[in-house]
Amino acid sequence: MESYLHALLGEIILVAGSVEVEEGDLGVVQRILSYCTEHYKEDITGKDVAKACFVSESYVTKIFSGKLRIPFRSYINQLRVS
């Protein structure tokens, strides 16, 4: 249930228009957010997410910093706190 809620939160952020994501990136962003939601209790890094989602680590950084406007580590920490 908790994972579902976090994935839903990611969807709401995207739909609310506060984040501009190109159509081709949408599936990748969803996979990245889902992976983070499922593994936030582990000691994961951007490299781990990149490997699991079949993208480069720099692309993961670009998604978080550029599109989601939150550093990767801050996002993971927010998941842990909530």
Side-chain angles (χ1 to χ4, degrees), residues 15-35:
V15 172
S18 62
V19 176
E20 294 180 20
V21 177
E22 296 174 17
E23 189 173 324
D25 290 338
L26 189 57
V28 176
V29 172
Q30 288 173 331
R31 283 197 319 260
I32 289 171
L33 293 176
S34 291
Y35 183 85

Side-chain angles (χ1 to χ4, degrees), residues 3-81:
S3 294
Y4 175 75
L5 291 175
H6 286 289
L8 183 60
L9 177 61
E11 288 293 318
I12 290 170
I13 290 170
L14 295 173
V15 172
S18 62
V19 176
E20 294 180 20
V21 177
E22 296 174 17
E23 189 173 324
D25 290 338
L26 189 57
V28 176
V29 172
Q30 288 173 331
R31 283 197 319 260
I32 289 171
L33 293 176
S34 291
Y35 183 85
C36 290
T37 300
E38 293 171 13
H39 298 276
Y40 71 93
K41 292 180 182 179
E42 302 167 18
D43 186 24
I44 62 171
T45 65
K47 187 175 185 175
D48 298 325
V49 175
K51 186 176 179 181
C53 296
F54 305 104
V55 295
S56 69
E57 185 177 0
S58 63
Y59 187 73
V60 172
T61 300
K62 176 184 168 187
I63 292 295
F64 278 95
S65 297
K67 305 228 183 251
L68 300 176
R69 298 183 185 117
I70 183 171
F72 171 77
R73 185 56 43 204
S74 296
Y75 181 76
I76 296 300
N77 288 336
Q78 284 183 357
L79 287 177
R80 289 175 178 156
V81 168

